[in-house]
Amino acid sequence: MTTDRALAPEVASDYVEVAEDADTTAGSHDTTMEAVVELCKRRGLIFQSSEIYGGLRGAWDFGPLGAALKDNVKAAWKRDMIQLRGDVVQLDASILMHPRVWEASGHVEGFTDPLVECRTCNARFREDQVTQGDASTYECPRSDYSLCDFGPAKQFNLMFQTHVGPTMESGAAVWMRPETAQAMFVDFAHVQLTSRQKVPFGIAQVGKSFRNEIPPRNFIFRVREFEQMEMEYFVRPGTDEPWHEYWIQQRWDWYLRYGIRRDNLRIRPHAADELSHYAKRTVDVEYRFPFAWSELEGIANRTDFDLSRHAEFSGKDLSYFDPALDERYVPYVIEPAAGVDRSALAFLVDAYRDEEAPTAKGGTERRVWLQLHHALAPMKVAVLPLSRNEKLVPTATEVADILRPRWMIDYDETGSIGKRYRRQDEVGTPFCVTVDFETVEEDRAVTVRDRDTMVQERVAIDRLEAYLAERLDTPS
Ligand code: GAP
């Protein structure tokens, strides 16, 4: 066991690592994007922004169930990255920051994509899409980009600019942050001092970021406004490589813990020509999306690049005095940087099941359901009176009210009970609680149906909360 707190705990690495140039299209998924997108739209989880005006590309709205799913993804991340640790503290920084931040970070100069534009129809593509034959004809007004006559590639900055104050003068221009990370560097000294954390420690932030992606695509995979879950872990120089290894394993375990199947996950190191200007080494956690193996999260060893640059540009000392060593240094940083929207999409795709299931009458029927981890399921329990009968409704309402302070509860009294089970299965509700005539006339017990096994059990209302807590609150 490692006893020096500055050193990374020894962890057995068991993640699957592939080569830098591993095939991104290899293998197929048992779920299609079309099926997941259709379910999300039909059940109002995720749909296009400003739909009544024809929508805005790259912008999506999360309806009631989608917003709850996203909240749960963020809560799971915060629980494991902050609450359960003690060496990571939270920050909620402003989206608009001083413009010099983005000069120091390298974003003004280098956060660009090479863009090519057609001289005749003005359609715009990222250069690599055209050279790799990966462009969508959607962008071209003639619906066939192979007819385009492209000019030379130009560097296009992905940051959105806006203005503060009543004037449009250049001095008032600010950027919408393209990553949450920079605030953790800029606020490093302040947070370290006030939280009295000692290196190694982390600062974590969950929040919106903005990138003018050309083009946004694959549903919520690549969008212009998204949420990130980033953590900057400050370590003593020289201890950075084992800490990098440690965080790769932690993040791998997190995706598995919340239900991603191991076969659909892999770690791919960046090749030298792919590394960001700040990184000594980066790996991507990749998920086997139906369209390709693609990045879920980047885990970078950012060295002391950011703290040194902000010290240089601001003129403020961002070094750290290490009492254990009686020495001052600029910490190195390990950064696990994940996307909320992208994680939510991976969890949805991975949970999607389309199966034949036995019916009560001995036949089979199609069953679409989400095998979401209980912690991620938007609704934890659905309370269903057998019918709208006036004898049943008061007790069903009472049961829902007993459970509501603890969990997100759906109350549904319309349609046959079979249909209502299917509605809950489709959005991954772990338990359905049915109130029937026996409940009110005989035993004050309800039928609890388990989403995964479809097994039904009779449980007394007095025992119901404890019964569900045992099954819902235990991490599985
Ligand atoms: N601070 C480092 C950083 O921002 P990144 O790889 O550019 O690194 C981290 O972004 C994560 O943020 C990505 O792995 C992805 O999950 C998410 N992300 C980045 N751009 C995105 C976009 N346009 N749409 C949705 N998610 C995005």
Side-chain angles (χ1 to χ4, degrees):
M1 269 296 287
T2 309
T3 47
D4 184 349
R5 187 177 176 268
L7 303 180
E10 282 151 28
V11 286
S13 298
D14 68 354
Y15 55 80
V16 175
E17 183 170 335
V18 294
E20 297 165 356
D21 58 353
D23 189 354
T24 54
T25 55
S28 62
H29 205 288
D30 49 16
T31 300
T32 65
M33 277 304 286
E34 289 73 23
V36 174
V37 173
E38 191 275 330
L39 175 67
C40 287
K41 287 188 181 166
R42 186 163 47 76
R43 297 305 309 273
L45 273 93
I46 307 165
F47 42 88
Q48 233 189 342
S49 157
S50 331
E51 209 167 47
I52 62 167
Y53 289 100
L56 178 69
R57 275 205 93 193
W60 297 89
D61 290 348
F62 288 74
L65 296 170
L69 169 67
K70 247 191 351 165
D71 276 352
N72 295 341
V73 170
K74 290 184 274 188
W77 188 87
K78 286 185 189 176
R79 175 183 181 273
D80 288 27
M81 297 293 283
I82 303 171
Q83 185 186 337
L84 294 182
R85 296 191 58 91
D87 61 347
V88 177
V89 292
Q90 192 177 358
L91 179 69
D92 183 2
S94 173
I95 287 174
L96 301 178
M97 300 178 76
H98 195 287
R100 291 274 284 165
V101 168
W102 307 109
E103 288 170 32
S105 68
H107 282 82
V108 170
E109 198 185 333
F111 196 56
T112 55
D113 268 348
L115 197 76
V116 290
E117 186 167 353
C118 171
R119 293 189 180 99
T120 48
C121 74
N122 298 330
R124 287 175 177 181
F125 297 95
R126 254 195 3 244
E127 188 183 28
D128 62 311
Q129 287 184 286
V130 174
T131 51
Q132 291 166 16
D134 187 27
S136 156
T137 52
Y138 184 99
E139 300 288 333
C140 171
R142 293 165 302 194
S143 298
D144 184 358
Y145 85 93
S146 65
L147 301 173
C148 286
D149 169 25
F150 291 115
K154 287 186 197 142
Q155 290 303 322
F156 169 77
N157 197 301
L158 298 184
M159 284 195 294
F160 283 103
Q161 203 175 46
T162 186
H163 293 82
V164 288
T167 63
M168 295 285 275
E169 291 156 21
S170 63
V174 291
W175 305 99
M176 310 280 284
R177 69 179 178 201
E179 61 173 18
T180 58
Q182 292 305 320
M184 269 95 85
F185 304 128
V186 170
D187 293 347
F188 163 73
H190 202 275
V191 174
Q192 187 274 319
L193 197 70
T194 53
S195 65
R196 301 172 64 235
Q197 287 284 344
K198 291 192 174 68
V199 169
F201 79 100
I203 307 179
Q205 179 165 214
V206 175
K208 287 252 171 162
S209 293
F210 302 83
R211 296 182 191 181
N212 197 358
E213 301 280 4
I214 309 286
R217 59 183 177 158
N218 288 325
F219 195 35
I220 56 168
F221 177 81
R222 187 180 300 286
V223 288
R224 291 191 167 123
E225 176 182 339
F226 53 97
E227 278 184 281
Q228 290 185 306
M229 307 180 282
E230 296 197 286
M231 197 273 287
E232 311 303 324
Y233 199 75
F234 300 91
V235 304
R236 189 160 94 199
T239 65
D240 49 308
E241 289 178 13
W243 274 116
H244 193 207
E245 202 52 36
Y246 167 85
W247 278 109
I248 296 169
Q249 186 63 41
Q250 295 301 303
R251 297 304 303 145
W252 172 267
D253 292 343
W254 186 81
Y255 289 105
L256 296 187
R257 190 171 312 133
Y258 288 96
I260 298 287
R261 284 169 283 174
R262 197 180 159 88
D263 285 353
N264 291 335
L265 210 59
R266 69 184 195 185
I267 299 289
R268 189 184 63 78
H270 282 200
D273 60 359
E274 198 185 346
L275 275 181
S276 302
H277 58 280
Y278 51 73
K280 172 172 163 186
R281 179 171 176 249
T282 298
V283 304
D284 282 348
V285 182
E286 291 190 336
Y287 177 72
R288 189 208 305 260
F289 284 100
F291 44 86
W293 280 98
S294 302
E295 175 189 341
L296 258 187
E297 165 162 355
I299 308 169
N301 180 345
R302 296 184 73 122
T303 69
D304 58 0
F305 175 86
D306 304 273
L307 289 179
S308 300
R309 289 277 288 192
H310 287 302
E312 182 193 332
F313 277 63
S314 67
K316 299 283 186 301
D317 182 9
L318 294 178
S319 65
Y320 167 79
F321 179 74
D322 191 329
L325 292 182
D326 198 19
E327 185 185 304
R328 188 167 276 286
Y329 54 77
V330 178
Y332 269 37
V333 173
I334 307 301
E335 176 196 66
V340 179
D341 313 67
R342 224 173 256 190
S343 300
L345 181 60
F347 285 122
L348 281 172
V349 169
D350 222 68
Y352 189 91
R353 305 276 179 277
D354 186 344
E355 295 168 351
E356 286 292 310
T359 62
K361 291 181 184 152
T364 58
E365 65 178 3
R366 186 175 164 220
R367 179 180 184 233
V368 172
W369 63 294
L370 293 183
Q371 195 176 16
L372 283 171
H373 188 286
H374 290 174
L376 302 184
M379 294 289 158
K380 307 300 182 208
V381 183
V383 177
L384 318 170
L386 191 62
S387 72
R388 278 197 198 137
N389 186 290
E390 59 189 20
K391 277 192 180 167
L392 302 182
V393 169
T395 307
T397 312
E398 180 198 334
V399 169
D401 288 344
I402 291 171
L403 304 179
R404 271 208 176 95
R406 192 148 177 177
W407 301 291
M408 288 294 280
I409 304 298
D410 194 13
Y411 178 87
D412 185 5
E413 55 180 33
T414 47
S416 73
I417 199 75
K419 258 196 194 136
R420 280 182 277 163
Y421 282 157
R422 281 197 291 280
R423 274 209 287 269
Q424 297 300 332
D425 282 348
E426 266 189 343
V427 295
T429 308
F431 293 101
C432 287
V433 170
T434 305
V435 173
D436 55 25
F437 289 99
E438 237 178 291
T439 313
V440 290
E441 288 166 1
E442 293 173 32
D443 59 1
R444 266 191 71 81
V446 289
T447 302
V448 181
R449 173 184 177 269
D450 182 312
R451 173 199 71 191
D452 296 359
T453 60
M454 294 191 288
V455 168
Q456 304 191 6
E457 217 179 319
R458 204 78 188 153
V459 180
I461 292 177
D462 287 350
R463 226 168 47 78
L464 182 62
E465 187 178 348
Y467 174 94
L468 291 168
E470 228 173 78
R471 285 153 183 82
L472 278 170
D473 291 348
T474 313
S476 55

